[in-house]
Amino acid sequence: MHYRIEAADLHAHLYGVTLTIAQPAAKQRVSLPVWIAGSYMVREFAKQITGISARQGSRAVSVQQHDKASWAVDCEAGTPLTLNYQVHAHDDSVRTAWLTTQRGFFNGTSLCLQVEGQTDVPHHLELVATSFNAHDKATDHTHTPWQVATGLTPVKTDRHGFGTYVAADYDELVDCPVEMGTFWSGSFQACGIEHRFVVAGATPAFDGDRLLRDSQKICETAIRFWHGHSKSNNKRAATPHKRYVFMLNAVAEGYGGLEHRNSTALICNRADLPRLSDSSIGTAKDSKSHEAKPSDGYITLLGLISHEYFHTWNVKRLRPAEFSRYDYTQENYTQMLWFFEGFTSYYDDLLLRRAGLIDDAQYLKLLNKSINQVLQTPGREVHSVAQSSFEAWTKYYRQDANSPNLTVSYYTKGALVALCLDLSLRQHGVKNHSVSLDDVMRALWARCCTGKHDGTMTQADVQAVLKELTGRSWAPELKAWVHGTRELPLEKLLASHGVGVQHDPAQLAQRLGLRVVQEHAVLIKTVLNGSVAHKAGFAPGDEWLGVEVTGKANTPNTTAWRIKKLDDLLLYAGTAKKVGVLVSRDHQLRHLTLALPDAKANSTWRLVLHNPQLVQPWLSP
């Protein structure tokens, strides 16, 4: 297979693709995936394909569309077949493809047709430099040649990275995204492995050296987590990647990442990038000695980097049995995302702490946020994380106003399941020997990813490893925490490890049971089941216009007030226990009666570090 990729029209955001099949079958079938691994939603990438045509030698052959994402070519067997088509690329996410005069990016699932019956042969990808560098000289007098970054293996490339790459098969081809443009580029080594970091969209204030230093610490911590400190330890599995590429797109507003076998595509807010201090801009002095405390936004970015890098082991190699071979034509269901996404979410921030990039207080603040997110989601009472995993295709990735009432995130609750398991194991121990979730993860790697094992696993493997390490069954805990909907024993387990819980009054929106948008009015986004707002009759889409407050016996007059933000309710309600509410619904005015909740009726958790000595075995390397 040979794919030639060029810029057909930068201003129209069109890639031109030429696919050459050396040995086609008669009536060759080709198709484009409907989803991309790691993002569990059918996205219909084929809708962006236009102008598909085919030739064998000098003869044009017909192409008939078979369904929404596949085609049949009326060709002969054995004679080289060439297909030409264009792909529109203007989705600035990590999942699809993007092309402008400033930047190009694509995943193979958006550009590269899959050839039926030939997915296991080598696939070559050629990037044509001249097409991407053909800018309008009249409007771009300072044009800098584009560069390329990808995890694919180069065969013959120029100094900018354009040229030919090879993948062992189709799966590898579509698991190695390509970044192109005039991006910033840096590199570092972590435990002897070369890592490249490219950043598109950075400003002159961007501190690239700091990003490299911090990313190096993350990578070294992750590698040592899985494989130990000694590279000569033969009992450890080999690192699954020989080199790695981070591709970060910095934008005005955006956040996300997608894992790949030896690379990751990331998006962050441009303002969250590490910045050179004011005193160091324009100077040559070492910025390391003047390093400022990381902002919350930068910590979030480091957590994203940690998350996607941890996936190199947990989901790309160690993976659900249902993902032994991807079926790109339809949904691939599994109940195990609570483990592969949830446990990865547990370790992403924990490894930041172990790498020394955040302290105990900052880590507990991040953990605190995850706990409150779950506790403020009524869907946790009706949907287990196993069910949430299985229904990710329809419930997590297709959320609407009622989603918080229907489901719970397998990311956040899965992370809390990991926390409960980790703290329970540390508390349990075996014959005075400490056991932790770290040991479980490494034992699963040894069990499923070494020797002749292909990396696939099930919940039975988790249960078997737990029993091997502790001498008892953990089936009751997994049944309750993973397949049940009762509250997790978080408070008790945290207390046993030196962390207390302070119950603080919740924010007004949470006490009312509302999620709102407040710009020039109070717009109701979500009404949480069982809340006072639910009982009053609020509905998603309502615009809350005003409140009516009736005075006490000696001043019985009713006063109506216009509200523009939620806090206005407290200003106008005073000590009233009940108020009238005026909302606009479908341009009709409706009156509701709202019982105001007590300030103590709903609380949020605030984690407090009581015993630093107890917490160290858990948070330290």
Side-chain angles (χ1 to χ4, degrees):
M1 301 301 108
H2 187 280
Y3 301 83
R4 178 183 169 91
I5 310 294
E6 52 193 327
D9 189 331
L10 290 167
H11 296 287
H13 319 294
L14 287 175
Y15 283 104
V17 183
T18 302
L19 166 58
T20 301
I21 308 170
Q23 295 288 329
K27 311 293 184 181
Q28 179 68 63
R29 292 282 292 272
V30 296
S31 62
L32 199 67
V34 302
W35 70 290
I36 182 170
S39 183
Y40 306 104
M41 178 178 173
V42 172
R43 297 187 182 277
E44 315 293 15
F45 300 128
K47 67 183 179 182
Q48 302 295 350
I49 287 184
T50 60
I52 187 167
S53 62
R55 302 187 71 86
Q56 274 191 310
S58 60
R59 182 174 67 91
V61 294
S62 66
V63 180
Q64 296 294 325
Q65 188 160 4
H66 182 262
D67 57 30
K68 64 180 181 180
S70 69
W71 294 260
V73 185
D74 188 18
C75 62
E76 300 174 353
T79 302
L81 172 67
T82 301
L83 286 83
N84 290 281
Y85 54 96
Q86 294 182 338
V87 179
H88 181 258
H90 204 245
D91 179 357
D92 197 11
S93 76
V94 297
R95 300 177 295 266
T96 53
W98 175 262
L99 183 63
T100 65
T101 56
Q102 289 80 39
R103 174 178 175 261
F105 171 83
F106 67 85
N107 289 284
T109 44
S110 289
L111 263 66
C112 300
L113 289 170
Q114 183 177 11
V115 180
E116 185 177 287
Q118 301 196 50
T119 56
D120 292 330
V121 303
H123 285 57
H124 288 79
L125 184 78
E126 180 187 357
L127 302 171
V128 182
T130 54
S131 66
F132 292 102
N133 286 298
H135 288 65
D136 184 355
K137 305 301 183 186
T139 59
D140 187 1
H141 300 291
T142 60
H143 173 61
T144 302
W146 280 21
Q147 303 176 75
V148 174
T150 180
L152 287 168
T153 300
V155 176
K156 185 178 181 181
T157 59
D158 64 20
R159 62 191 180 93
H160 299 297
F162 284 94
T164 304
Y165 296 82
V166 66
D169 51 30
Y170 186 78
D171 281 340
E172 182 179 348
L173 176 72
V174 299
D175 203 15
C176 294
V178 175
E179 174 78 27
M180 298 176 289
T182 56
F183 47 70
W184 175 92
S185 180
S187 63
F188 60 86
Q189 286 211 345
C191 300
I193 300 169
E194 185 70 20
H195 292 70
R196 185 183 184 190
F197 211 124
V198 303
V199 182
T203 71
F206 167 53
D207 188 347
D209 288 340
R210 181 170 186 180
L211 181 63
L212 292 179
R213 286 194 302 273
D214 292 345
S215 298
Q216 181 183 38
K217 292 176 182 177
I218 291 170
C219 296
E220 288 176 342
T221 303
I223 292 169
R224 288 167 179 160
F225 172 91
W226 288 100
H227 305 295
H229 289 262
S230 174
K231 292 190 288 185
S232 63
N233 189 345
N234 295 326
K235 295 182 179 180
R236 302 285 183 180
T239 305
H241 52 287
K242 303 304 179 186
R243 60 189 182 92
Y244 195 90
V245 183
F246 293 96
M247 291 167 273
L248 174 60
N249 183 26
V251 297
E253 291 186 10
Y255 175 82
L258 191 61
E259 68 275 4
H260 298 281
R261 63 183 62 195
N262 66 344
S263 64
T264 182
L266 309 167
I267 289 181
C268 78
N269 289 349
R270 194 171 289 123
D272 291 340
L273 290 172
R275 304 182 195 182
L276 298 164
S277 64
D278 291 340
S279 61
S280 65
I281 291 178
T283 71
K285 66 182 178 180
D286 180 14
S287 62
K288 184 177 180 180
S289 60
H290 300 272
E291 218 159 65
K293 184 178 180 181
S295 66
D296 288 346
Y298 183 45
I299 291 174
T300 299
L301 172 58
L302 292 177
L304 177 64
I305 292 168
S306 178
H307 183 97
E308 302 305 340
Y309 193 67
F310 197 84
H311 269 319
T312 311
W313 292 267
N314 196 37
V315 90
K316 297 312 296 184
R317 268 71 174 186
L318 190 63
R319 63 194 190 279
E322 296 87 349
F323 292 176
S324 61
R325 192 69 186 263
Y326 295 124
D327 180 351
Y328 296 107
T329 68
Q330 61 183 353
E331 296 90 339
N332 291 212
Y333 293 100
T334 178
Q335 289 193 350
M336 291 293 292
L337 295 182
W338 59 269
F339 180 90
F340 292 99
E341 290 293 356
F343 281 36
T344 299
S345 296
Y346 172 62
Y347 277 109
D348 55 21
D349 290 334
L350 184 56
L351 292 192
L352 294 187
R353 173 65 195 96
R354 294 181 181 177
L357 294 170
I358 57 176
D359 58 26
D360 291 348
Q362 289 169 310
Y363 172 73
L364 291 178
K365 179 180 177 182
L366 295 169
L367 178 60
N368 205 148
K369 181 179 178 181
S370 296
I371 291 173
N372 282 326
Q373 283 178 345
V374 172
L375 293 180
Q376 293 169 6
T377 303
R380 75 187 190 284
E381 299 174 345
V382 297
H383 213 214
S384 71
V385 284
Q387 292 172 307
S388 175
S389 299
F390 193 81
E391 296 186 84
W393 300 86
T394 53
K395 289 190 174 178
Y396 184 81
Y397 276 91
R398 296 184 184 274
Q399 295 199 23
D400 57 27
N402 197 44
S403 291
N405 296 316
L406 295 178
T407 189
V408 65
S409 168
Y410 50 79
Y411 284 88
T412 49
K413 189 175 180 182
L416 299 187
V417 169
L419 171 66
C420 288
L421 190 55
D422 194 11
L423 299 187
S424 296
L425 286 164
R426 293 175 185 276
Q427 192 176 41
H428 179 267
V430 180
K431 295 181 180 178
N432 299 321
H433 172 66
S434 175
V435 177
S436 70
L437 188 59
D438 302 5
D439 301 303
V440 173
M441 300 302 286
R442 287 189 284 264
L444 282 168
W445 180 267
R447 177 187 179 94
C448 301
C449 296
T450 59
K452 296 182 180 180
H453 301 290
D454 64 357
T456 59
M457 59 162 275
T458 66
Q459 184 176 310
D461 291 300
V462 179
Q463 294 179 203
V465 164
L466 285 168
K467 190 169 185 178
E468 289 171 7
L469 292 175
T470 64
R472 77 164 180 89
S473 172
W474 289 76
E477 285 86 351
L478 292 178
K479 181 179 179 181
W481 301 344
V482 174
H483 299 277
T485 56
R486 292 183 180 180
E487 299 291 13
L488 299 172
L490 293 165
E491 193 164 358
K492 178 181 177 181
L493 288 169
L494 286 167
S496 68
H497 288 79
V499 179
V501 176
Q502 178 71 42
H503 295 273
D504 294 334
Q507 295 292 319
L508 179 59
Q510 186 63 29
R511 299 206 304 271
L512 294 173
L514 291 174
R515 295 183 182 176
V516 302
V517 175
Q518 301 181 85
E519 293 178 352
H520 303 293
V522 179
L523 301 177
I524 309 303
K525 183 179 178 182
T526 293
V527 181
L528 301 180
N529 285 350
S531 66
V532 294
H534 166 227
K535 295 172 182 176
F538 278 92
D542 285 353
E543 180 183 358
W544 191 344
L545 299 175
V547 295
E548 296 176 336
V549 183
T550 301
K552 297 181 180 180
N554 56 344
T555 56
N557 294 336
T558 298
T559 307
W561 302 91
R562 176 79 166 93
I563 68 170
K564 292 188 176 181
K565 58 182 184 296
L566 208 54
D567 285 344
D568 288 346
L569 176 63
L570 299 178
L571 173 66
Y572 300 132
T575 59
K577 301 295 184 182
K578 189 178 292 186
V579 297
V581 171
L582 181 66
V583 301
S584 172
R585 184 179 301 166
D586 191 28
H587 288 201
Q588 298 181 57
L589 299 182
R590 294 179 177 271
H591 289 268
L592 309 174
T593 300
L594 175 66
L596 297 179
D598 187 275
K600 299 180 181 179
N602 202 329
S603 65
T604 60
W605 284 26
R606 177 163 53 87
L607 300 185
V608 180
L609 181 58
H610 288 321
N611 191 329
Q613 289 184 330
L614 280 178
V615 84
Q616 286 312 305
W618 163 34
L619 300 186
S620 297

